[in-house]
């Protein structure tokens, strides 16, 4: 039985003051929620704020710290990159890899994403591997091919560790647009991904949480999270509003 995972991707948003308020409101909102109830929460903040968030989340067993990216390299001449070792110093437990905005604006290929996942796994950080098709790819009937190709690269590079990843299905056309995949549309892709994991490892198919991301909000979360293969959400815009984010977490039973 897989537990639910709700991850907030703050993207390039926040200030010290805003983060303090948001983090404290989420902590307070979840104060009565016991980790044993199952749902885990991750806050993926911009890297410069990880130290602030580490302090804010100290002692919480339900809310974990995540980064929005990670380098595939250990150290050295990679200006602007942040290594797994650096993230670990700040208590980071999860790292988003292959977000469509990184693929689109920073030219990250499937191979790069797979190496980032590998670096995270080697350091004991759980990679949240994002996959998803563009609108043109969906309209051309290529959705399953695209997500399978993206996940295959990660499976190929990470072999026996594959049961330690989290997958996030994020249709690019639904991210930040207010257009959400219907629960049935999302479930159809999640089941394709589950089958692919099963072909790689029955343990992985059983264990790996597959999140949905793309304009998930307080109003649509419950119906998406009710689907058999939707094990949580990766939330952008709604994660910046404590009440909405808490409402999504409450929908994840
Ligand atoms: C995201 O950034 O991963 C995301 C899903 O954003 P939004 O919820 O705003 O669509």
């Amino acid at each position: 039985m897989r537990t639910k995972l709700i991850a907030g991707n703050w993207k390039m948003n926040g200030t010290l003051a805003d983060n303090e308020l948001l983090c404290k409101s989420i902590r307070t909102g979840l104060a009565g929620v016991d980790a044993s109830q199952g749902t885990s929460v991750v806050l993926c903040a911009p890297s410069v704020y990880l130290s602030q968030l580490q302090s804010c989340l100290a002692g919480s067993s339900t809310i974990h710290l995540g980064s929005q990216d990670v380098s595939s390299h250990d150290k050295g001449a990679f200006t602007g990159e942040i290594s797994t070792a650096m993230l670990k110093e700040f208590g980071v437990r999860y790292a988003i890899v292959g977000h469509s905005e990184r693929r689109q604006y920073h030219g990250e290929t499937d191979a790069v994403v797979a190496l980032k996942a590998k670096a995270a796994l080697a350091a004991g950080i759980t990679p949240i591997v994002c996959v998803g098709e563009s609108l043109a790819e969906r309209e051309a009937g290529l959705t399953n091919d695209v997500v399978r190709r993206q996940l295959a690269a990660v499976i190929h590079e990470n072999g026996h560790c594959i049961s330690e990843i989290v997958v996030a299905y994020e249709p690019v056309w639904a991210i930040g647009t207010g257009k959400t995949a219907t629960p049935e549309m999302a479930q159809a892709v999640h089941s394709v991904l589950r089958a692919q994991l099963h072909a790689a490892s029955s343990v992985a198919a059983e264990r790996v949480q597959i999140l949905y991301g793309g304009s998930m909000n307080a109003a649509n979360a419950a119906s998406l999270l009710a689907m058999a293969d939707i094990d949580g959400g990766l939330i952008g815009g709604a994660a910046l509003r404590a009440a909405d984010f808490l409402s999504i977490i409450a929908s994840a039973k």
Side-chain angles (χ1 to χ4, degrees):
M1 172 70 187
R2 291 176 300 277
T3 55
K4 292 277 198 292
L5 176 65
I6 303 293
N9 175 14
W10 289 6
K11 310 197 191 199
M12 198 172 71
N13 292 295
T15 62
L16 287 169
D18 289 350
N19 302 342
E20 197 63 21
L21 191 60
L22 182 54
C23 183
K24 280 195 176 142
S25 305
I26 293 167
R27 265 208 89 158
T28 308
L30 292 177
V33 179
D34 181 345
S36 63
Q37 285 180 359
T39 302
S40 297
V41 175
V42 182
L43 302 182
C44 300
S47 298
V48 289
Y49 295 129
L50 290 174
S51 172
Q52 180 192 18
L53 271 276
Q54 184 183 29
S55 303
C56 174
L57 298 178
S60 173
S61 55
T62 358
I63 316 176
H64 308 292
L65 191 52
S67 69
Q68 298 176 11
D69 186 27
V70 65
S71 177
S72 60
H73 303 284
D74 284 346
K75 65 195 291 196
F78 300 102
T79 302
E81 297 267 286
I82 298 181
S83 72
T84 54
M86 293 170 185
L87 294 177
K88 289 210 74 167
E89 286 203 297
F90 293 92
V92 167
R93 298 264 301 272
Y94 292 83
I96 298 172
V97 298
H99 191 281
S100 62
E101 288 152 16
R102 302 278 331 161
R103 293 179 190 261
Q104 191 179 346
Y105 306 134
H106 301 271
E108 291 190 9
T109 61
D110 294 342
V112 167
V113 173
L115 288 173
K116 288 185 175 208
K118 187 177 188 176
L121 287 166
I125 293 173
T126 303
I128 301 176
V129 177
C130 298
V131 300
E133 81 288 2
S134 65
L135 185 58
E137 288 164 338
R138 172 161 284 267
E139 286 175 349
L142 295 173
T143 298
N144 293 350
D145 293 344
V146 170
V147 298
R148 277 203 206 101
R149 189 202 71 223
Q150 291 171 331
L151 183 58
V154 176
I155 291 173
H156 176 73
E157 195 63 57
N158 293 283
H160 62 281
C161 295
I162 205 65
S163 60
E164 306 303 319
I165 70 169
V166 168
V167 176
Y169 168 54
E170 297 211 305
V172 179
W173 49 270
I175 297 178
T177 58
K179 291 183 197 148
T180 319
T182 63
E184 293 72 23
M185 280 161 82
Q187 167 59 30
V189 179
H190 282 230
S191 74
V192 164
L193 295 168
R194 182 83 60 209
Q196 187 176 7
L197 288 167
H198 194 272
S201 149
S202 53
V203 177
E206 196 61 28
R207 278 189 53 164
V208 170
Q209 292 160 310
I210 308 180
L211 317 183
Y212 169 79
S215 299
M216 190 186 268
N217 58 40
N220 61 29
S223 56
L224 285 158
L225 294 168
M227 304 310 282
D229 288 297
I230 301 186
D231 305 313
L234 181 54
I235 326 293
L240 297 171
R241 298 182 294 273
D244 290 4
F245 192 58
L246 288 166
S247 163
I248 293 170
I249 295 166
S251 310
K253 301 234 171 57

